[in-house]
Amino acid sequence: MLLRAHRALIGLGLLLSTGGTPLLASAASLQKVTADFGPNPRNVGFYIYVPDSILSQTAPARPPPPILVNPHWCHGDAQAAYAGSQWARLADAHGFIAIYPDSPNAADQCWDVSSADTLAHDGGGDSLGIASMARWALAEYGGDPARVFATGVSSGAMMVEVLLGAYPDLFAAGSAFAGVPFGCFADPAGGYAVWGGDCAEGRVTKTAAEWAALVDAAYPGYGDGWRPKVQIFHGTDDEVLDYVNYGEAIKQWTAVLGLGEEPVNTTLDTPVAGWTKSVYGESGWFEAYSAAGVTHNIQNQEAVVMDWFDLACTTDNCFKWGDVAI
């Protein structure tokens, strides 16, 4: 049975706060996928938003659409992620598909970012179910396999970093708001661990090489293969996931990507006053935003993420998987 979350028609004169793009009226709606979409050992729920512009045409009449995966936060769900962001409206405007996974963890709706299964490529856990959603959508809608992206907040951000580490062959880039490094919550026993503890409180610190080794171990056969771009945001006053995690994530991803730990460029007051953007590596393959005075309730920045993913691009020169060397 399809679950429909119909959106109200939007006036043509109304503009998005994330860039001035007109919001387009649409009959498209959030749909629950109940078909067999591939391996999903933990029964992660699958909700998808496909704009009318994609449904009304078939390949090759239209270019293959990009796919954006948006896992929700703890105590949230797919419908809340859909309603609480601009992604569906931006999908209408720019012609991409949005996937909203739904956590199977009834106790807190957090994502499994700690089990040995979820931290391994095609190993299982919540991450495999989400990877299966992206693969299914690529096949079902003729999507662009070189333009699959992920973004999320809090537990959703943790899952983004898991997906980038465990599925570098699937995701071209990711953007994580108030998350933690890949493997920070890893359960020594290999099982699913509840929220909280040393990682959340900033007591898990490692060398850059140790952090990179966790990512390398997630997909041993991948070796020196092409790696996705990574973008992170974190508030200095985060009371839920300590700001220490920001520095640890910088150590991890710069090491994974073979970049120096010191930024090549720093910009103050962007995209918000008090936020500092740091770019690592000459290619800018990793960037980090430190938000001074901001708590865990960090403001989403869809316009910045759209630019990072190059999601508004409709030419043959869009950013895509494998397109640029680090």
Side-chain angles (χ1 to χ4, degrees), residues 275-315:
W275 293 31
T276 300
K277 173 185 177 181
S278 297
V279 177
Y280 296 80
E282 294 301 326
S283 65
W285 217 252
F286 173 68
E287 59 182 40
Y289 291 78
S290 175
V294 173
T295 65
H296 191 63
N297 188 27
I298 193 168
Q299 179 185 356
N300 207 335
Q301 301 293 330
E302 286 100 332
V304 177
V305 177
M306 283 287 295
D307 184 63
W308 181 244
F309 295 158
D310 202 17
L311 263 178
C313 177
T314 57
T315 71

Side-chain angles (χ1 to χ4, degrees), residues 120-158:
H121 181 79
D122 285 339
D126 292 356
S127 68
L128 177 55
I130 295 172
S132 293
M133 296 173 198
R135 292 163 173 165
W136 180 88
L138 288 171
E140 183 74 9
Y141 297 102
D144 189 339
R147 300 183 70 200
V148 180
F149 307 100
T151 186
V153 178
S154 189
S155 185
M158 299 179 201

Side-chain angles (χ1 to χ4, degrees), residues 58-213:
T58 57
R62 56 159 170 78
I67 292 175
L68 175 71
V69 177
N70 183 206
H72 59 75
W73 50 92
C74 284
H75 304 290
D77 56 24
Q79 293 93 332
Y82 166 78
S85 73
Q86 299 284 345
W87 292 122
R89 297 176 180 182
L90 287 164
D92 284 335
H94 300 291
F96 60 87
I97 293 168
I99 290 174
Y100 301 91
D102 206 46
S103 171
N105 302 309
D108 54 16
Q109 291 296 105
C110 296
W111 292 106
D112 168 21
V113 295
S114 53
S115 74
D117 291 341
T118 206
L119 295 173
H121 181 79
D122 285 339
D126 292 356
S127 68
L128 177 55
I130 295 172
S132 293
M133 296 173 198
R135 292 163 173 165
W136 180 88
L138 288 171
E140 183 74 9
Y141 297 102
D144 189 339
R147 300 183 70 200
V148 180
F149 307 100
T151 186
V153 178
S154 189
S155 185
M158 299 179 201
M159 177 51 71
V160 167
E161 297 194 50
V162 167
L163 293 171
L164 296 180
Y167 295 90
D169 57 335
L170 179 60
F171 290 90
S175 181
F177 289 77
V180 302
F182 178 98
C184 185
F185 270 103
D187 181 0
Y192 176 77
V194 296
W195 178 282
D198 289 344
C199 177
E201 295 170 14
R203 292 192 297 273
V204 176
T205 60
K206 301 179 184 294
T207 67
E210 288 170 338
W211 280 121

